[in-house]
């Protein structure tokens, strides 16, 4: 990844932040990082201070296509190119008792706008700039994208959508030498998961037990897989789903 330029959404926290640190460690020349949380982006940038990488921080709401387009256009004009993209930004809205009968329209729309439409807006902005061959995109879905889950309809639906979207795009751009994969982490110890646990969505200990390894993953462990998928070492991997580590898929309630 030496000398290359990447974009990362959702880079202020959790998995996105870990991806930025990993890209810096692997020798990326520049990383355009975005999030709605500008302060968090500053912290991510500070964590990369020891490496040579140039980090550009931009406040971008991925559900807003104009903001995403402007960010990617600016990235290409600052760095001169874009080699790969990690589309990580996402939310897990709602409390643990929301059903398909009680879910509010706003909550449904917000989840789909960020988790699914946000990935579409990002890819549409990134694809024209990626090198052919050699460009790569990784979109973060979830093991909740493999099976519907009670009290998690909006989140699960958005993550199912990311898998279909990524596989469709992989089929469209494979012949041009661009690879697009969906990554489906199991439970990872991040603020998103902790908030979900504290709002009663699931029991963190029970969920850990449901993984093959009997524990939650760390953001850095996901970042290693994501950066492998972005790298040339994954040159024959596209349209795929890399998923991790669940004996029972999804979140378990008490
Ligand atoms: P996190 O909350 O630590 O990070 C998510 C980041 O996305 C935050 O910095 C947040 O500010 C940002 N964000 C939220 N809305 C945004 C918007 N509209 N525009 C731009 N940025 C926005 O959570 P995380 O666990 O690191 O989640 C990262 C991704 O991984 C999400 O897509 C999530 O669904 C997915 N995921 C997480 C887990 C898990 O267990 N933590 C499991 C599977 C998938």
């Amino acid at each position: 990844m030496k000398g290359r330029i990447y974009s990362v959404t959702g880079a202020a926290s959790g998995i996105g932040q870990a991806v930025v640190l990993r890209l810096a460690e692997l020798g990326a020349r520049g990383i355009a990082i975005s999030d709605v949380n500008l302060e968090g982006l500053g912290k991510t940038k500070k964590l990369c201070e020891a490496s040579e990488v140039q980090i550009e921080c931009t406040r971008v709401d991925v559900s807003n296509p104009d903001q995403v387009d402007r960010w990617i256009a600016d990235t290409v004009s600052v760095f001169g190119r874009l080699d790969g993209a990690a589309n990580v930004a996402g939310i897990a809205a709602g409390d643990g008792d929301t059903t398909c009968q009680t879910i509010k329209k706003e909550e449904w729309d917000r989840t789909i706008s960020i988790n699914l439409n946000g990935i579409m807006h990002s890819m549409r902005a990134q694809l024209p700039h990626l090198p052919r061959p050699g460009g790569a995109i990784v979109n973060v879905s979830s093991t909740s994208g493999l099976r519907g889950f009670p009290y998690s309809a909006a989140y699960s639906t958005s993550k199912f959508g990311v898998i279909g979207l990524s596989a469709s795009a992989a089929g469209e751009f494979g012949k041009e030498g661009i690879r697009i994969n969906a990554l489906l982490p199991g439970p990872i110890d991040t603020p998103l998961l902790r908030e979900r646990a504290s709002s009663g969505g699931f029991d963190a200990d029970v969920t850990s037990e449901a993984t093959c390894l009997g524990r939650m993953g760390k953001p850095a462990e996901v970042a290693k897989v994501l950066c492998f998928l972005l790298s040339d070492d994954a040159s024959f991997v596209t349209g795929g789903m890399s998923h991790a580590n669940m004996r029972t898929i999804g979140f378990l309630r008490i």
Side-chain angles (χ1 to χ4, degrees), residues 10 12-16 35-37 60-63 88-91 114 140-142 155 159 185-188 190-193:
S13 170
I15 294 168
D35 202 290
V36 285
N37 174 359
V60 175
D61 178 343
V62 291
S63 67
V88 187
I91 56 163
I114 295 172
V140 176
S141 173
S142 165
Y155 186 77
K159 295 300 185 182
I188 309 300
T190 68
L192 176 141
L193 197 76

Side-chain angles (χ1 to χ4, degrees), residues 80-91:
R81 58 186 292 135
L82 179 67
D83 295 288
N87 296 322
V88 187
I91 56 163

Side-chain angles (χ1 to χ4, degrees), residues 92-108:
D95 63 37
D97 290 324
T98 303
T99 67
C100 290
Q101 181 175 307
T102 58
I103 189 165
K104 292 191 176 68
K105 184 180 178 304
E106 300 73 42
E107 184 185 323
W108 174 270

